[in-house]
Amino acid sequence: TPGEVWHHWVELLGTRAYYEDLITSLRRIVLGFLIAAVVGVGLGVLIGRSETARKTLRPAIEMVRPIPAIALVPLTILLFPTSEQGIVFITFFAAFFPVVVSTIHAIDSMPKVWEEAAQTMGASQWTILRQVTLPGALPGIFSGLSVAMGVAWICVVSAEMISGQFGIGYYTWQAYGLLDYAGVVVGMLSIGALGLLTAWIVERIGRRINYWLPSKR
């Protein structure tokens, strides 16, 4: 019942292990997400700006993109010396594709007249990239980052359930194994709360960087 879930959650809030699980999952998410953001945006800009990169790298990305990140768990167990590194890699893999694809689409959707106007004024390619391309693509990039954060949470929790030793996903799976259904619901709600918090942070950062966008208030 909701009352049982609430009392179980209150009890967990007084334990150290619960916070350690939350921090562990957050650390995995932040690390994998940041790596995916840096690599995804960089590669997306390269593909969006270079026809050669588009022809060589885009087919490989589209071929690998349909592979579910959770299907890589057996491979990560073989490739990485610790489960921690494997879970971070799975988080990165899950978040990478929404970021890189949204970056490519954001650059492709920009009006060509912006770049042509900058070239007419004598701007170099680096200046165009820094002052025209990236600022114009940032709203689309942050849309991809928001989607990537949600996907990353889904996959990190699944990876923790399969091969993790700590984390909120591991806790939820252990509660299920012990037939602690109130604990399972508490784990689900905790995952949702963490997902809401991280999505809000990404949105706030995007709003601050894209300060020139019209406010929706």
Side-chain angles (χ1 to χ4, degrees):
T1 64
E4 291 174 330
V5 172
W6 173 252
H7 289 303
H8 191 84
W9 206 345
V10 170
E11 290 178 1
L12 278 179
L13 290 175
T15 65
R16 181 178 178 180
Y18 178 67
Y19 296 102
E20 290 178 346
D21 286 333
L22 295 180
I23 292 172
T24 298
S25 294
L26 273 174
R27 184 179 66 246
R28 291 164 175 168
I29 278 288
V30 170
L31 186 56
F33 178 79
L34 287 179
I35 297 173
V38 173
V39 178
V41 172
L43 197 59
V45 170
L46 176 63
I47 294 174
R49 296 283 298 171
S50 171
E51 191 64 27
T52 302
R54 184 184 296 271
K55 291 180 179 179
T56 56
L57 298 177
R58 185 69 187 272
I61 290 175
E62 293 301 329
M63 184 175 65
V64 178
R65 186 157 69 107
I67 300 175
I70 200 63
L72 298 178
V73 170
L75 188 61
T76 59
I77 294 175
L78 296 175
L79 291 179
F80 294 95
T82 65
S83 60
E84 185 73 17
Q85 295 173 350
I87 292 173
V88 171
F89 173 78
I90 289 173
T91 307
F92 155 77
F93 186 88
F96 168 76
F97 294 101
V99 176
V100 68
V101 172
S102 66
T103 302
I104 295 172
H105 288 170
I107 293 178
D108 288 345
S109 63
M110 289 178 54
K112 297 297 182 183
V113 68
W114 292 1
E115 183 174 344
E116 294 170 353
Q119 289 174 341
T120 302
M121 299 173 65
S124 64
Q125 290 297 318
W126 169 247
T127 302
I128 293 174
L129 175 63
R130 184 167 52 89
Q131 297 188 4
V132 178
T133 303
L134 285 179
L138 276 176
I141 291 174
F142 270 93
S143 295
L145 289 173
S146 181
V147 173
M149 179 59 77
V151 176
W153 269 112
I154 294 172
C155 291
V156 75
V157 168
S158 301
E160 288 176 348
M161 288 181 175
I162 296 175
S163 64
Q165 295 180 344
F166 303 99
I168 194 63
Y170 177 77
Y171 164 79
T172 305
W173 185 250
Q174 288 293 101
Y176 167 74
L178 297 173
L179 302 181
D180 179 12
Y181 297 118
V184 173
V185 178
V186 168
M188 294 166 57
L189 294 176
S190 301
I191 294 165
L194 290 175
L196 175 63
L197 173 64
T198 51
W200 179 82
I201 292 174
V202 171
E203 182 178 349
R204 294 302 299 175
I205 293 174
R207 275 286 167 188
R208 184 171 293 272
I209 292 178
N210 298 310
Y211 60 89
W212 46 270
L213 287 175
S215 176
K216 295 184 178 181
R217 284 182 291 177

